[in-house]
Amino acid sequence: MPDLLNLITDIDGVAVGHATDLALGSGVTVIVFDEPAVASGTVLGGAPGGRDTGLLDPSMTVSAVDAFVLSGGSAFGLDAAGGVQAGLREVGRGFAVGSVRIPIVPQAILMDLLNGGDKDWGLHSPYRDMGYAALKAAAKGPFALGTAGAGTGATTATFKGGLGSASAVSSAGHRVAAVVAVNALGSATIGDGPHFWAAPFEKEGEFGGLGMPAVCDHRMRLKGMNTPATTIGAVVTDAQLTKAEAHRLSLAGHDGFARALLPAHLPLDGDTVFAASTGRHRRDDMASLMELCHLATIVMARAIARGVYEAGALPAEGAQKAWRDRYPDGH
């Protein structure tokens, strides 16, 4: 389809906004829905940080969300959802409880406090204001990848991490897309070279078109044995899903982690995937759900590789080098 941007904003009714602070070495990304979206999510990493993630369990009462928030800042970054809630409340969004509306804004955070940025922010963290700013910046269409938003301070075992996104269309015409902040304890690249673990799923050279190396080095590479890390993201489709089906879609997104990062889901990872359906297009058969899960795995894997491929190093002394620093000519 010629109008696809290979971004999560290819899903009608989805906007994305960033707040990026290169000096801080951190940022916030907001995925906001025009209308409440049926949503769920899963945490498979051993060291997660989140806000309002419990309500995403399929057995819980609230079935729809107004937005998702991805943020740096570790536990300090959880303030970002408050800023997003404030902005949504301004425009009357939220779950109705009597005469009150409460915006539903699940959030996941990543650990970027040790990347060389200036974290001396005083008494209160900047993340509430950054969340509000990211919401106000949310728009349809293109948005920045790499060192932007929640991917600003992200790192991996081998190269600078970043924010990535990718999309696909099912045989039934349903769109499915992922956005992810890649801050992995492990690596998105193979051995010491430029190749990506996600290479078999690449489309149109979106992360260099290098394919797979002749020999794969499977040795474990970690950015630290005692350093918490988290890759956080979301998968969204325009196909109608129940909350339980959205939960299954989030698990398929984690399969994308396993295909693009080695290792993934470690005891010190907080790997989290949200999933949502805008419900714009009818779907009620098992075959289409299975294909959506298949594509969710693939778009997440591609988005992870794009996040690393598009990143640039932070302007801080000793900051981790980006893939493009080492391979400026693309290989």
Side-chain angles (χ1 to χ4, degrees):
M1 289 185 168
D3 58 333
L4 292 183
L5 299 171
N6 199 23
L7 298 171
I8 201 167
T9 46
D10 288 333
I11 309 299
D12 291 338
V14 176
V16 170
H18 294 321
T20 301
D21 189 329
L22 294 177
L24 177 68
S26 191
V28 175
T29 295
V30 176
I31 304 98
V32 61
F33 302 100
D34 286 355
E35 300 173 352
V38 172
S40 189
T42 47
V43 177
L44 296 186
R51 173 169 164 166
D52 269 354
T53 55
L55 64 82
L56 297 174
D57 185 292
S59 67
M60 299 302 172
T61 301
V62 175
S63 63
V65 305
D66 296 293
F68 290 137
V69 181
L70 309 177
S71 175
S74 190
F76 300 105
L78 292 173
D79 291 344
V84 176
Q85 281 187 314
L88 290 170
R89 183 172 179 267
E90 280 185 322
V91 296
R93 291 286 300 270
F95 180 76
V97 182
S99 62
V100 176
R101 288 194 171 271
I102 304 171
I104 306 299
V105 184
Q107 178 182 0
I109 50 90
L110 57 82
M111 169 62 176
D112 59 4
L113 301 179
L114 303 175
N115 59 17
D118 181 6
K119 306 302 191 294
D120 186 17
W121 53 60
L123 180 60
H124 297 292
S125 88
Y127 290 97
R128 185 180 66 177
D129 290 340
M130 294 176 76
Y132 183 83
L135 176 69
K136 291 300 183 181
K140 312 290 179 60
F143 59 88
L145 300 181
T147 304
T152 300
T155 56
T156 76
T158 51
F159 296 110
K160 173 75 174 67
L163 190 100
S165 190
S167 69
V169 182
S170 76
S171 60
H174 299 131
R175 295 186 181 187
V176 60
V179 65
V180 62
V182 188
N183 186 62
L185 197 56
S187 176
T189 51
I190 301 171
D192 296 319
H195 302 83
F196 289 91
W197 287 113
F201 310 107
E202 186 174 12
K203 293 188 67 175
E204 300 177 359
E206 61 194 338
F207 42 89
L210 301 179
M212 296 292 285
V215 177
C216 287
D217 181 351
H218 300 132
R219 287 177 294 176
M220 185 169 67
R221 285 169 169 79
L222 300 178
K223 63 184 178 187
M225 288 295 181
N226 295 296
T227 304
T230 309
T231 297
I232 53 177
V235 180
V236 179
T237 182
D238 59 8
Q240 290 179 338
L241 297 180
T242 66
K243 191 175 184 182
E245 289 169 340
H247 183 258
R248 183 56 49 185
L249 197 71
S250 71
L251 287 168
H254 276 289
D255 288 344
F257 282 27
R259 284 161 174 78
L261 298 168
L262 188 71
H265 305 132
L266 292 171
L268 287 179
D269 275 324
D271 295 345
T272 299
V273 176
F274 299 134
S277 161
T278 63
R280 297 286 180 95
H281 298 284
R282 184 176 178 82
R283 189 218 61 82
D284 58 7
D285 62 301
M286 182 58 70
S288 61
L289 176 62
M290 290 196 291
E291 185 180 4
L292 287 171
C293 289
H294 168 73
L295 292 175
T297 295
I298 292 173
V299 294
M300 182 61 79
R302 290 167 47 208
I304 287 170
R306 288 191 83 193
V308 175
Y309 176 76
E310 297 287 353
L314 288 173
E317 184 177 352
Q320 187 177 42
K321 289 188 176 181
W323 188 94
R324 290 173 182 246
D325 294 331
R326 186 166 175 184
Y327 303 105
D329 58 354
H331 57 81

